[in-house]
Amino acid sequence: MSTPKPAPDFIRQIVADDVAAGKNQGRVITRFPPEPNGYLHIGHAKSICLNFGVAQEFRGQCNLRFDDTNPTKEEVEYVESIQADVRWLGFNWEDRLFYASDYFEQLYQYALHLIQAGKAYVCDLSAEEIRQHRGTLTEPGKDSPYRSRAVDENLDLFTRMRAGEFPDGARVLRARIDMASPNLNLRDPVLYRILHAEHHRTGDRWCIYPMYDYAHPISDALEGITHSICTLEFEDHRPLYDWTLDNLPVPFRPYQYEFARLNLTYTVMSKRKLLKLVQEGRVAGWDDPRMPTLSGMRRRGYPPEAIRKFCDLIGVGKRENLVDLALLEYCVREDLNRRAPRVMGVLRPLKVVLVNYPEGRAEELDAVNNPEDPAMGARKVPFSRELYIERDDFMEEPPKKFYRLAPGREVRLRYAYFIKCLEVIKDATGEVVELRCAYDPETKGGYAPDGRQVKATLHWVSAAHAVPAEVRVYDRLFTQPNPGEDKDTEFQTFLNPDSLETLKPCWVEPSLKGAAAGSHYQFERLGYFCADKDSTLGAPVFNRTATLRDPWAKIQQAR
Ligand code: ATP
Ligand code: MG
């Protein structure tokens, strides 16, 4: 894209300075470290674009590492979806797929090292007691009575923890740092806990599991990560990251840098909340097109290029903020405007009969596939006596400024002819069910030889040729800009009851009969749509990706 590159963000500046200073012989190795306890979301995309992007720009490498230290919440399904999503976003870890669980034995050996050096001890306090001993931001903590256990006893107990002699929660291994530290994370943090749980990769080989703050720096060191980039909530953990590495004979010394996470309006992003939406059946799964997950956005029809562009535009900073969802939608529209072929489809059909068009006749009209890109060519669209138009495009008593079809009025049918409404047919309830119109054969192609003008151009399909389709019209999932903000109200309270409207049957032009799942279209005048995986031949299903313009932006401007 041709926009000029802005100044590098602070992370890229740090990396550039390190490279210029010859640090690590100019090598740059980053990693993206998801915990496989859910599907990736748009926030993760920011982290992926940053980590893989920095590696690419500095001719380095980015590893994909599963931070799989919590067996009770992690699943193979997540491991697989995460890999598929990172690839889809357009990034490649080549042969560098790692798991923190690959390092369990090394992590254990390092723990023995800390114990031998008097820097870790086995503590028998319960989780609750540990919390009580920890103190507060204004009060120092209290030493555990087990803090001065002899090295031999610690070694013995820790070995037996590993051997499975104790039940869950009976003991933990803690770092011996400083119970009076102003940083609570340094008040003898837990390094290992007992968990008799099956791990998706190591099975029942382990019944003690390392904590994130211990496993993460060591994993980084073992992989030679030069810049360990994470979100701001880990800033307070950095002293523990450094302590761990400074007290172990690790083969390499990485450094941690923190950036502000992405928050988006009308969106919840925590995997815990997203899992709730799935479990409570509020959405049809992790890949529901309303979800902020990458798989949901893919299904909705968001191209990976648009998501990358969005991540580029929001930049990387140190201050938390809330990005407008409209910006992401803007990136999606920009991208699809260039690539999506134009087609015609009618979502809420109203039948039109052209009384002066011969019965049984049909003709093929030329339609442009993309006015933005002549290389995309043209196609033929069938036209005949009976058509469908959009119900909204007709009003029996049109108010001022409604220029579309009305009794006695003439409009243009896109790529076809002028038609004039002669008669309105209603059913017993008074609902309009059909329009009788006349077409002007002289206006083929959409222009009148006598120069007369019409004020509206409508999309349409030929009833005899159109394919029935289901269309799922999506709107934002929440009604509040920041649904997670109010801690006293459950975020589900703000779910938008109208976030999905299923329309059926809709009628689309015959070229869409076998639309392949994932293919993008612009339905003229309606928006961008993407064929869903539920489609079958002759019965396509489309998800509305985005409207053509942002209706919310207009509302905002009007304020
Ligand atoms: P969540 O809080 O949504 O459950 P998480 O931080 O627990 O996410 P991880 O799997 O640990 O999820 O995240 C992997 C990486 O993605 C981490 O480095 C994390 O900092 C980063 N990340 C997670 N959420 C965001 C976000 N909203 N914006 C930017 N980066 C994020
Ligand atoms: Mg996390």
Side-chain angles (χ1 to χ4, degrees):
M1 273 164 254
S2 63
T3 38
K5 268 270 161 221
D9 57 67
F10 80 99
I11 297 271
R12 286 175 167 86
Q13 193 58 56
I14 291 168
V15 176
D17 291 347
D18 286 349
V19 169
K23 214 170 164 183
N24 305 310
Q25 295 82 47
R27 254 180 320 118
V28 173
I29 305 185
T30 58
R31 83 288 168 269
F32 173 63
E35 181 179 356
N37 63 348
Y39 281 59
L40 295 182
H41 52 59
I42 182 76
H44 293 117
K46 177 175 180 179
S47 175
I48 294 168
C49 289
L50 177 58
N51 278 293
F52 280 93
V54 162
Q56 271 170 11
E57 289 153 38
F58 292 90
R59 276 183 265 139
Q61 296 178 331
C62 180
N63 300 349
L64 176 61
R65 183 202 312 144
F66 286 103
D67 164 31
D68 57 348
T69 52
N70 184 359
T72 59
K73 289 186 178 166
E74 295 162 7
E75 284 175 32
V76 176
E77 178 194 347
Y78 300 140
V79 169
E80 288 170 356
S81 73
I82 288 170
Q83 293 184 54
D85 288 346
V86 175
R87 259 192 224 108
W88 174 74
L89 245 200
F91 297 103
N92 188 348
W93 55 90
E94 295 165 334
D95 58 349
R96 298 177 313 279
L97 173 62
F98 301 116
Y99 295 84
S101 57
D102 292 342
Y103 312 134
F104 279 174
E105 183 59 37
Q106 180 66 72
L107 291 163
Y108 177 78
Q109 294 300 327
Y110 280 149
L112 294 177
H113 181 97
L114 288 176
I115 294 172
Q116 268 153 351
K119 289 170 181 163
Y121 62 99
V122 173
C123 181
D124 301 359
L125 294 181
S126 68
E128 184 48 37
E129 289 166 325
I130 290 181
R131 207 169 305 129
Q132 285 163 7
H133 278 69
R134 189 179 293 135
T136 64
L137 284 173
T138 50
E139 284 167 62
K142 274 191 305 204
D143 283 4
S144 159
Y146 306 98
R147 196 170 201 262
S148 47
R149 248 178 185 152
V151 168
D152 284 348
E153 192 186 351
N154 281 321
L155 284 175
D156 174 59
L157 286 172
F158 188 54
T159 315
R160 288 164 59 197
M161 277 169 65
R162 176 186 185 169
E165 288 190 28
F166 310 118
D168 289 2
R171 302 195 147 87
V172 293
L173 184 73
R174 296 175 71 177
R176 182 189 276 121
I177 307 180
D178 179 6
M179 287 307 291
S181 170
N183 185 331
L184 295 174
N185 293 310
L186 293 183
R187 294 188 186 171
D188 292 10
V190 173
L191 304 181
Y192 267 92
R193 67 222 153 112
I194 301 172
L195 249 179
H196 292 267
E198 179 97 1
H199 186 282
H200 64 102
R201 298 195 81 233
T202 59
D204 58 5
R205 246 176 293 154
W206 292 90
C207 61
I208 53 171
Y209 289 94
M211 303 302 288
Y212 173 87
D213 280 338
Y214 174 71
H216 200 75
I218 297 173
S219 304
D220 283 347
L222 295 175
E223 292 173 21
I225 301 300
T226 56
H227 299 80
S228 181
I229 304 168
C230 62
T231 35
L232 276 181
E233 68 270 22
F234 293 103
E235 196 168 21
D236 287 347
H237 297 242
R238 185 172 0 113
L240 179 52
Y241 184 97
D242 290 335
W243 181 91
T244 304
L245 296 177
D246 290 341
N247 285 283
L248 286 170
V250 287
F252 185 78
R253 179 61 161 94
Y255 289 88
Q256 175 181 305
Y257 305 91
E258 308 88 14
F259 68 98
R261 65 194 296 116
L262 168 66
N263 304 301
L264 255 192
T265 56
Y266 301 99
T267 306
V268 297
M269 210 97 86
S270 113
K271 282 183 277 187
R272 188 181 55 79
K273 289 179 180 168
L274 297 178
L275 179 63
K276 263 201 177 149
L277 293 176
V278 173
Q279 284 173 338
E280 294 173 0
R282 311 287 187 140
V283 293
W286 284 98
D287 70 346
D288 185 296
R290 291 165 292 179
M291 289 281 270
T293 52
L294 296 183
S295 53
M297 291 184 173
R298 171 165 65 235
R299 195 169 172 190
R300 174 85 169 249
Y302 286 16
E305 293 84 354
I307 295 177
R308 294 205 304 266
K309 175 73 183 173
F310 169 74
C311 291
D312 219 35
L313 285 179
I314 56 175
V316 175
K318 266 274 184 198
R319 193 165 330 142
E320 288 271 346
N321 63 351
L322 188 60
V323 174
D324 195 333
L325 180 60
L327 182 64
L328 176 59
E329 292 169 345
Y330 162 83
C331 294
V332 168
R333 285 189 192 98
E334 283 279 289
D335 191 86
L336 290 177
N337 183 40
R338 270 180 280 112
R339 73 164 83 214
R342 274 55 171 169
V343 293
M344 290 196 285
V346 173
L347 301 195
R348 295 172 179 85
L350 174 61
K351 185 170 257 185
V352 168
V353 177
L354 303 178
V355 293
N356 60 338
Y357 196 93
E359 280 186 56
R361 184 159 122 194
E363 61 188 303
E364 303 243 280
L365 302 173
D366 291 313
V368 187
N369 287 337
N370 189 348
E372 301 280 319
D373 182 5
M376 285 174 73
R379 68 189 186 288
K380 298 282 187 193
V381 186
F383 185 86
S384 64
R385 180 180 159 90
E386 296 197 355
L387 311 168
Y388 291 117
I389 64 165
E390 210 68 57
R391 191 160 276 278
D392 286 355
D393 282 337
F394 172 80
M395 279 185 96
E396 198 173 12
E397 286 162 35
K400 260 192 161 170
K401 293 203 172 171
F402 183 90
Y403 299 120
R404 293 168 269 167
L405 201 58
R409 188 179 288 172
E410 192 172 50
V411 297
R412 175 189 294 112
L413 294 181
R414 183 99 161 121
Y415 306 120
Y417 299 95
F418 286 8
I419 63 165
K420 186 172 194 170
C421 179
L422 307 178
E423 193 186 341
V424 180
I425 315 274
K426 297 180 184 175
D427 67 9
T429 69
E431 207 194 20
V432 177
V433 289
E434 186 181 307
L435 303 177
R436 298 281 166 121
C437 300
Y439 88 113
D440 177 356
E442 299 298 311
T443 58
K444 185 164 181 173
Y447 297 93
D450 63 8
R452 81 182 184 278
Q453 299 287 324
V454 288
K455 281 194 169 153
T457 302
L458 310 186
H459 61 276
W460 52 274
V461 292
S462 162
H465 302 87
V467 175
E470 176 178 325
V471 175
R472 300 173 183 165
V473 177
Y474 297 103
D475 199 350
R476 42 199 52 178
L477 188 51
F478 292 94
T479 52
Q480 291 288 314
N482 197 351
E485 189 179 35
D486 180 0
K487 298 285 174 266
D488 299 327
T489 315
E490 283 200 308
F491 71 97
Q492 295 97 319
T493 316
F494 304 117
L495 278 164
N496 176 5
D498 304 319
S499 60
L500 168 61
E501 186 185 4
T502 302
L503 300 175
K504 196 179 171 174
C506 307
W507 295 98
V508 298
E509 63 171 75
S511 68
L512 296 184
K513 184 174 178 188
S519 41
H520 304 283
Y521 302 95
Q522 184 193 105
F523 285 14
E524 294 211 26
R525 300 178 63 232
L526 296 176
Y528 295 102
F529 292 79
C530 180
D532 191 77
K533 64 181 182 185
D534 290 344
S535 300
T536 54
L537 184 65
V541 176
F542 296 96
N543 298 316
R544 188 174 75 185
T545 308
T547 51
L548 287 181
R549 268 168 245 76
D550 179 4
W552 299 80
K554 253 195 204 151
I555 293 164
Q556 298 261 302
Q557 269 171 14
R559 279 197 188 134

